[in-house]
């Protein structure tokens, strides 16, 4: 099935908002085996939207719009879609009742603008919005000789995603003649795309038109996505399982999770399971490791705290780093980062200390220690492990990559030592 | 002038990459007074790109593509554009010389793929890429009775932005008959959109078709953008200056900068100017304030360090918070956050201490202290200032908003006290 995604809103055209909706929808539709052939962004103008729908249905069987369903005068998607299909607008009683009940509970009169949210094109199916007020819409006809499917969704990302996940994707998956598509995403850290390819590239001889492997790199690690398609779900699952087993034999140590998990969430579960606490001593990451760890709800169970030791004085006074070590080896050195990890562990009375020290750029690089040189260290009661990583030229990307390297080291050490 | 932006790449259609290029180009073109009427994303397929160009020129005078200029077999933009305009491909000698010199300096043979980067459509102007190897292209004709302008840019964001800024926008601004457009963006922190509207909304009676005001909210503060257009640059500048003066009278205390600056960079310059050092004591922000401050190159001049005191024990042992204060008032309280700010200032021997303590969610809220309740404190030798802020339900957004509130407090206190 060929699909097009149409995003509606002047704020996208003038660059006020980045169109993350289209990317998310593109990914979800592709994962469902639907071929997204074009994405379009249109302004809040009736003629432009109508022309966009007309163009899209020339190429696609399925057109999904997002945006323009709100209560203000800019929000004209519903009217234009109704008119495009030659339909009138009628009140949808269940939605109206839901809106009235919302305001009645709050002892307020229903604003006219909110009533408008319950007006829908005649003959359209209404998809219940579980996290907001604007319902989604589904319509199909074949008056032009081919089946046209139209889905209308709100532009608020949370509402669009809830409607896609709860209503649209399940319905698309049930359409007759659809192949089953299964995916498996393995999350890795501590290894780059080219090193991964060197370790598993020869497995690509297993790949076929209906078994596909993709490397998805980011500053939080490389995701490996395996997709299989066919008519028999069990047969696909068996092929994916077999491939996964080979991948885990080759690169299992680098795989920290599956699907939409994050390294910090996986680490959190691991630390809770092992009953371990951690503290970080951050120089070059400047607090980013602690920020990532505390993005996980419940992280107070294992993160005691952190010391961001940006100045050398603080490394000495707060972490017990020897001034002599800094003088002899520099702050960006194996000796100093190991002392930082040991020091923060002791100082914040944690089972584990994790430390970083590096040259993030754009200035401060030398021939011996160019921008991108980072030492990370892990310390526990039994000893210290250090790693040298060589990153890139960009300060902000270096901070992300260095935090991922440190969290990756934390994970592999906990797994091998406890 | 009507423009369309076409992004080329399968990786966008399947949602592997968010299309930040289109947003950035949309903003830049709009700021240059060019009306972006549609944005389209197309896959790496010749027929699709050709059709996309054809469609776009039916509506627009200017079409800009980004993507598909790399050295691999997927990169077909140049060939398709040449064929669309009925042109052949020819080597561009200066670009070829540049590429050869690049490889000669590194004592390597020039790969065939890299030679291809110097092949361009006949008759096209070559725009020099100052940060990469794929040049941009500019072409115009009026064989169809109207002037068609075509700009071809690489998809790597850094290269696209350099070419837009250095070559494309200056050239567009010189086209005959163009109105002058001037912008002024004022950056605010510590005040929400609705409060801003209450303070300056009545000034909107000054606004006209050629003088426009926009509020651009984000978790790092609300930007206020003032745009004026006309034929006389001096007259526009005078109107902007007059409006800005009124804005500064009303909300000057909240304005921390202009243009593309960031709160952390403005703060950095202010702290350096005043010769002040700062340390942060972070509970609910978990290291994010330190992370933001250290995103600025040179921040070691004023950030001594930070203590992320996530556990109450750490608040007591590392920051000198009284256990009695936590017992009586709770960790999220004015008394405790003030002690944290004083404690970190003393402990890390800084002029200023900045502290946060709050309930970030999704769990941990109470009737008295619901999710989103955050105390921030500023301390220096003369005393302590505290603020209570009430934020939202989302943990990650709350961390961003709380860090902005703390940095905003730091700025206003430094300005009023030093």
């Amino acid at each position: 099935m060929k699909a097009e995604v149409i995003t509606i809103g002047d704020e996208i055209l003038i660059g006020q908002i980045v169109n993350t909706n289209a990317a998310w929808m593109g990914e979800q539709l592709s994962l469902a085996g639907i071929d997204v052939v074009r994405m379009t962004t249109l302004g809040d103008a009736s003629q432009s939207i109508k022309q966009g729908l007309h163009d899209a249905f020339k190429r696609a069987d399925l057109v999904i719009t997002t945006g323009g369903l709100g209560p203000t005068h800019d929000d004209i998607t519903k009217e234009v879609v109704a008119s495009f299909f030659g339909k009138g607008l009628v009140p949808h009683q269940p939605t109206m009742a839901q809106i009235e009940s919302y305001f009645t509970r709050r002892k307020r009169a229903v604003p006219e603008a909110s009533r408008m949210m319950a007006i829908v094109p005649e003959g359209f199916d209404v998809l219940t919005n579980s996290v907001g007020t604007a319902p989604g819409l589904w319509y199909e006809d074949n008056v032009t000789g081919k089946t046209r499917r139209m889905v209308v969704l709100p532009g608020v990302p949370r509402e669009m995603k809830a409607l896609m996940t709860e209503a649209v994707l399940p319905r698309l998956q049930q359409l007759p003649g659809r192949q089953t598509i299964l995916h498996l995403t393995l999350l890795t850290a501590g290894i780059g795309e080219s090193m991964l390819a060197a370790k598993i590239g020869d497995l690509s001889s297993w790949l076929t038109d209906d078994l596909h492997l993709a490397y998805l790199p980011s500053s939080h690690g490389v995701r490996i996505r395996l997709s299989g398609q066919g008519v028999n779900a069990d047969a696909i699952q068996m092929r994916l399982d077999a491939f996964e087993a080979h991948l885990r034999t080759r690169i299992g140590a680098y795989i920290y999770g599956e699907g939409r998990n994050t390294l910090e969430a996986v680490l959190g579960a691991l630390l809770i399971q092992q009953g371990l606490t951690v503290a970080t001593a951050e120089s070059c990451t400047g607090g980013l490791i602690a920020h990532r760890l505390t993005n996980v709800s419940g992280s107070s169970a294992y993160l005691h705290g952190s010391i961001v030791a940006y100045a050398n004085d603080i490394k000495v006074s707060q972490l017990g780093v020897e001034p002599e070590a800094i003088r002899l080896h520099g702050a960006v050195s194996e000796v100093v980062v190991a002392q930082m990890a040991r020091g923060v562990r002791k100082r914040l009375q944690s089972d584990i200390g994790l430390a970083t020290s590096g040259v993030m750029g754009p200035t401060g690089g030398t021939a011996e220690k160019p921008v991108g040189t980072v030492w990370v260290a892990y310390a526990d009661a039994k000893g210290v492990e250090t790693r040298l990583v060589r990153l890139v030229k960009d300060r902000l990307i270096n901070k992300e990559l260095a935090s991922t390297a440190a969290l990756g080291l934390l994970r592999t050490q906990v797994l091998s030592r406890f």
Side-chain angles (χ1 to χ4, degrees), chain A residues 13 24 58 70 122 150 166 184 206 212 293 331-332 385 388 392:
Chain A
L13 289 180
W24 189 89
K58 280 196 293 192
E122 209 170 355
M150 174 86 226
E166 293 163 17
L184 173 73
W206 284 42
H212 187 74
L293 286 169
V332 178
E385 275 287 324
L388 173 64
V392 298

Side-chain angles (χ1 to χ4, degrees), chain A residues 270 352 354 377-380 383-387 407-418:
Chain A
L270 178 64
I352 297 165
L354 194 65
Y378 163 99
D380 63 21
V384 179
E385 275 287 324
T386 56
R387 295 282 184 282
L407 292 173
L409 178 65
L410 171 57
R411 182 183 154 271
T412 51
Q413 291 300 312
V414 168
L415 286 175
S416 66
R417 287 162 169 253
F418 292 94

Side-chain angles (χ1 to χ4, degrees), chain A residues 18 29 81 83 157 170 175 196 223 230 240 270 307 311:
Chain A
V18 174
L29 292 167
V81 168
S83 147
L175 293 178
L196 275 175
R223 289 182 294 152
L240 291 185
L270 178 64
I307 292 175

